[in-house]
Amino acid sequence: MRGRSFLALLLALLVPLSAFAAGDPLPSWNDTAPKKAIVAFVERVTKAGSPDFVPVPERVATFDNDGTLWAEQPIYFQFQFALDRVKALAPQHPEWKDTEPFNHLIAGDMKAFLAGGEKSLMSVLAVSHSGMTTDEFNRIVVDWVATAKHPKTGRPYTQMVYQPMLELLAYLRDNGFKTFIVSGGGVEFMRAFAEKVYGIPPEQVVGSQGKLKFEMREGKPVLVKLPDVQFVDDGPGKPAGIQTFIGRRPIAAFGNSDGDLQMLQWTMAGAGARFGLIVHHTDAAREWAYDRTSHIGKLDKALDAAGPAGWTVVSMKDDWNTIFPK
Amino acid sequence: MRGRSFLALLLALLVPLSAFAAGDPLPSWNDTAPKKAIVAFVERVTKAGSPDFVPVPERVATFDNDGTLWAEQPIYFQFQFALDRVKALAPQHPEWKDTEPFNHLIAGDMKAFLAGGEKSLMSVLAVSHSGMTTDEFNRIVVDWVATAKHPKTGRPYTQMVYQPMLELLAYLRDNGFKTFIVSGGGVEFMRAFAEKVYGIPPEQVVGSQGKLKFEMREGKPVLVKLPDVQFVDDGPGKPAGIQTFIGRRPIAAFGNSDGDLQMLQWTMAGAGARFGLIVHHTDAAREWAYDRTSHIGKLDKALDAAGPAGWTVVSMKDDWNTIFPK
């Protein structure tokens, strides 16, 4: 037994050294409960011989995008993209000066625009997200992402991502997880930057979709984006999107709003070790503070559900020492 | 220069030896044009420094399923599954004895059943593919696959797969390709066996889809399969499915019927090296021989397109020395 004790001592000396050598994979996370829960979960499911061991192909983790991987205030970034697109197209559409809701946008009267409700919103989404080929749309988004700046911070939108979540994505992938986006955002909008910004390839992005029409143009095949919605990947649509696109139940899910409630319920109801996490926007100084009464990223039912269900709730103010990349 | 010639001679002696040592990755393919074209394409896109080199993440290859990876005669196997399901459910539905089209199936009168056309077909698909949870449906398909036998060969359906295509899938994966199914078949039907049979994981299966409904049952979330069609992944739907599910244009596509025409066009229209292949069912002795006038797997327009477009056409009779696994 003395030999074994010596070995244990040696291991105790070596393990912290190797951990130090590898570096902390989550340096932007404070050493509070959420970080400890994440690390404990990953160790449980990756340790060979552990009763909770999960084979690599089944290590599926799904992430909401707006408010979970990047910010969503003062308005969803994809909606800002749509508004910018209307402004860019306005010179080619002189008739918009007299056409609702475009006249309000051109006049900069957001209050009048918003009074038009869902109908106005759909009009703007239609002109900004349909009528072009998929290749053209991709270029438009890539250009917008490269040039547009957030109205409050002046940062490019791709710098409005959460540094702790970038570290978490990399940490999970380093431990054999396949990381997916499962978001209410448009699937083709997100794919234009997800690989570069999050390291998530196009085939691992699940989102809302419009219908596409195959056409031959001058002997070349194109896919034209139609204004009709094919699938809305939000709320109860998220587990449906996971089932249809991925075909495996995740073992870990990350969200920030009631739109993620059903994804969390679906993920946590599977057998074996599971991990659910909600990002709670509590930091008015460094980001924004909002939850139960917010029009954007409303977090109410999912926050009530988190405690009884044992989901981890991250307070951005208390649990993250860094919000955005430096 | 003498030294260089000596090196060339040495290489000429060594290379065949190493090829022999590694084994032929496509032993069920005869040494005819299709095999040579496949190997030449893979070597072009994988050789570092080659002008046609394609980085690993972009090595996407898409495969039709029915008639390309497994047989489809005398009727699509998924339709046989649906018919078997009606028979299995009949004892619980005494009313079917007097209800069209089920009465014809129970009586074994396929002619009367088929006279009902698409309406009859949809009725059978509805009772066999909806009304249960996704977990229940998966179990039903797994059980069927484990027990059902092909009416002509007596083999399990999962032994009605094409050995040359299994070798091709493995060869492409060994060369850094990600292999996807893109099929008109139901996505959840195919996923029940695609990983085991083809080595293709659920998240790389694209297919036709029904709508899903999220529900809580006794406090547990379930997804219920509805009878409504959400997306048909066939013909012009295939490039749309590729765009929506995968988000990358394949560099190689494999099909066998006019339902694959647009997938091949879409794949081949991309920049850089591309490979398109059509499996032509020409072997009445070992499999089936059919093309332009067949009700199942009709191959007419795509066969006409293949020559001018430079797609490879495989004659099963001439180019494959083995059809089914031994």
Side-chain angles (χ1 to χ4, degrees):
Chain A
M1 292 305 283
R2 191 181 291 176
R4 198 167 167 192
S5 296
F6 178 72
L7 187 66
L9 181 69
L10 198 68
L11 279 172
L13 284 168
L14 285 175
V15 167
L17 272 176
S18 70
F20 180 78
D24 178 355
L26 301 171
S28 299
W29 292 72
N30 290 327
D31 203 20
T32 46
K35 180 177 179 171
K36 288 176 185 167
I38 291 166
V39 172
F41 169 75
V42 169
E43 289 180 351
R44 277 171 71 196
V45 297
T46 56
K47 194 179 166 187
S50 149
D52 292 322
F53 179 78
V54 176
V56 166
E58 291 166 28
R59 292 182 201 161
V60 169
T62 54
F63 290 80
D64 171 57
N65 185 40
D66 298 305
T68 299
L69 293 180
W70 74 358
E72 58 186 352
Q73 298 285 0
I75 57 172
Y76 291 121
F77 297 174
Q78 188 173 358
F79 184 50
Q80 184 63 58
F81 160 78
L83 295 178
D84 289 353
R85 191 70 196 142
V86 167
K87 277 179 208 156
L89 289 171
Q92 300 163 41
H93 294 272
E95 76 281 9
W96 282 357
K97 280 193 199 103
D98 307 307
T99 315
E100 292 215 333
F102 304 106
N103 55 345
H104 303 310
L105 292 179
I106 291 164
D109 187 349
M110 278 305 283
K111 202 173 159 187
F113 171 79
L114 291 171
E118 193 176 343
K119 201 182 153 205
S120 292
L121 183 65
M122 291 311 284
S123 300
V124 165
L125 288 180
V127 300
S128 56
H129 286 75
S130 68
M132 69 292 281
T133 70
T134 51
D135 285 349
E136 286 163 356
F137 182 74
N138 181 63
R139 276 193 298 274
I140 293 166
V141 179
V142 167
D143 287 349
W144 181 82
V145 163
T147 54
K149 299 278 165 63
H150 189 275
K152 183 181 163 192
T153 65
R155 285 173 164 246
Y157 286 98
T158 50
Q159 290 288 307
M160 295 295 292
V161 298
Y162 303 130
Q163 177 64 24
M165 296 305 281
L166 297 182
E167 294 167 5
L168 178 56
L169 286 168
Y171 174 59
L172 290 173
R173 288 194 290 258
D174 286 347
N175 281 283
F177 280 77
K178 214 169 190 174
T179 54
F180 288 82
I181 290 175
V182 176
S183 168
V187 69
E188 300 191 289
F189 178 79
M190 296 186 287
R191 281 176 179 155
F193 56 85
E195 186 155 36
K196 202 169 166 186
V197 175
Y198 302 131
I200 296 180
E203 63 268 30
Q204 285 162 229
V205 179
V206 181
S208 296
Q209 307 140 36
K211 290 188 180 170
L212 300 175
K213 184 168 182 285
F214 181 86
E215 274 181 26
M216 296 299 284
R217 288 187 180 172
E218 298 171 7
K220 278 258 182 187
V222 296
L223 289 166
V224 180
K225 286 174 69 67
L226 302 181
D228 313 305
V229 171
Q230 180 163 286
F231 178 69
V232 176
D233 190 53
D234 197 31
K238 288 203 177 195
I242 288 169
Q243 176 70 11
T244 304
F245 276 69
I246 307 176
R248 292 190 207 262
R249 197 188 293 244
I251 64 165
F254 304 82
N256 77 297
S257 79
D258 285 358
D260 303 309
L261 175 61
Q262 290 86 354
M263 173 169 75
L264 282 156
Q265 289 172 328
W266 177 247
T267 300
M268 303 306 282
R274 303 275 148 176
F275 190 77
L277 183 147
I278 289 174
V279 175
H280 191 184
H281 293 262
T282 53
D283 197 327
R286 295 184 301 169
E287 205 242 5
W288 286 270
Y290 58 96
D291 47 32
R292 295 184 190 274
T293 60
S294 177
H295 288 295
I296 287 183
K298 180 177 177 176
L299 174 63
D300 184 42
K301 287 181 188 169
L303 195 56
D304 290 338
W311 306 340
T312 295
V313 178
V314 167
S315 163
M316 290 176 75
K317 188 177 177 183
D318 303 317
D319 299 319
W320 288 358
N321 61 55
T322 305
I323 305 285
F324 299 119
K326 296 228 168 80
Chain B
M1 290 305 284
R2 190 180 293 174
R4 200 170 164 187
S5 297
F6 178 72
L7 188 65
L9 180 70
L10 199 68
L11 280 173
L13 285 167
L14 285 175
V15 168
L17 273 175
S18 70
F20 180 79
D24 178 356
L26 301 171
S28 299
W29 293 71
N30 289 329
D31 202 21
T32 46
K35 179 175 178 172
K36 288 174 184 168
I38 292 167
V39 172
F41 169 75
V42 169
E43 288 179 353
R44 278 170 73 196
V45 298
T46 56
K47 194 180 167 188
S50 149
D52 292 321
F53 179 78
V54 176
V56 167
E58 292 165 27
R59 292 183 200 161
V60 169
T62 54
F63 290 80
D64 170 58
N65 185 39
D66 298 305
T68 299
L69 293 180
W70 74 359
E72 58 185 352
Q73 298 283 1
I75 57 172
Y76 291 122
F77 298 173
Q78 189 172 358
F79 183 50
Q80 185 63 57
F81 161 77
L83 295 179
D84 289 352
R85 191 69 196 143
V86 167
K87 275 179 211 158
L89 289 171
Q92 299 163 43
H93 293 273
E95 77 280 9
W96 283 356
K97 279 195 202 106
D98 307 307
T99 315
E100 292 218 334
F102 304 106
N103 54 346
H104 302 310
L105 292 179
I106 291 163
D109 187 349
M110 277 306 281
K111 202 174 162 187
F113 171 78
L114 290 171
E118 193 176 342
K119 201 183 154 204
S120 291
L121 183 66
M122 293 310 286
S123 299
V124 164
L125 288 179
V127 301
S128 55
H129 286 75
S130 70
M132 70 291 282
T133 70
T134 51
D135 285 350
E136 287 162 355
F137 181 74
N138 181 64
R139 275 193 299 273
I140 292 166
V141 179
V142 167
D143 287 348
W144 181 80
V145 163
T147 54
K149 299 276 163 65
H150 189 275
K152 184 181 162 191
T153 65
R155 286 173 164 244
Y157 286 97
T158 51
Q159 289 289 307
M160 295 295 293
V161 299
Y162 302 130
Q163 177 64 24
M165 297 305 281
L166 297 182
E167 293 167 7
L168 178 56
L169 286 167
Y171 174 59
L172 290 173
R173 288 194 292 257
D174 285 347
N175 280 282
F177 281 77
K178 213 168 189 173
T179 53
F180 288 83
I181 290 175
V182 176
S183 167
V187 69
E188 299 191 291
F189 177 79
M190 295 186 287
R191 281 176 178 153
F193 57 83
E195 188 156 33
K196 204 170 167 186
V197 176
Y198 302 130
I200 297 180
E203 63 269 29
Q204 286 162 228
V205 179
V206 181
S208 297
Q209 307 140 34
K211 289 189 180 169
L212 300 175
K213 184 168 184 282
F214 180 86
E215 274 182 25
M216 297 297 285
R217 288 189 180 169
E218 297 171 8
K220 279 260 183 187
V222 295
L223 289 165
V224 180
K225 285 173 71 66
L226 302 181
D228 313 304
V229 171
Q230 179 163 285
F231 179 69
V232 177
D233 189 54
D234 197 32
K238 288 204 178 193
I242 288 169
Q243 176 70 12
T244 304
F245 274 69
I246 307 175
R248 292 192 208 261
R249 198 190 292 244
I251 64 165
F254 303 83
N256 76 298
S257 79
D258 285 359
D260 303 309
L261 176 62
Q262 291 86 354
M263 173 168 77
L264 282 156
Q265 290 172 328
W266 178 247
T267 300
M268 302 306 281
R274 303 273 146 177
F275 190 77
L277 183 146
I278 289 174
V279 175
H280 190 185
H281 293 262
T282 53
D283 197 328
R286 295 184 301 170
E287 207 240 5
W288 285 270
Y290 58 97
D291 48 30
R292 295 184 191 273
T293 60
S294 177
H295 287 296
I296 287 184
K298 179 178 178 175
L299 174 63
D300 183 42
K301 287 180 185 168
L303 195 56
D304 289 338
W311 305 340
T312 296
V313 178
V314 165
S315 163
M316 290 176 74
K317 187 176 177 186
D318 303 317
D319 299 319
W320 288 358
N321 61 57
T322 305
I323 306 283
F324 300 119
K326 295 223 169 85

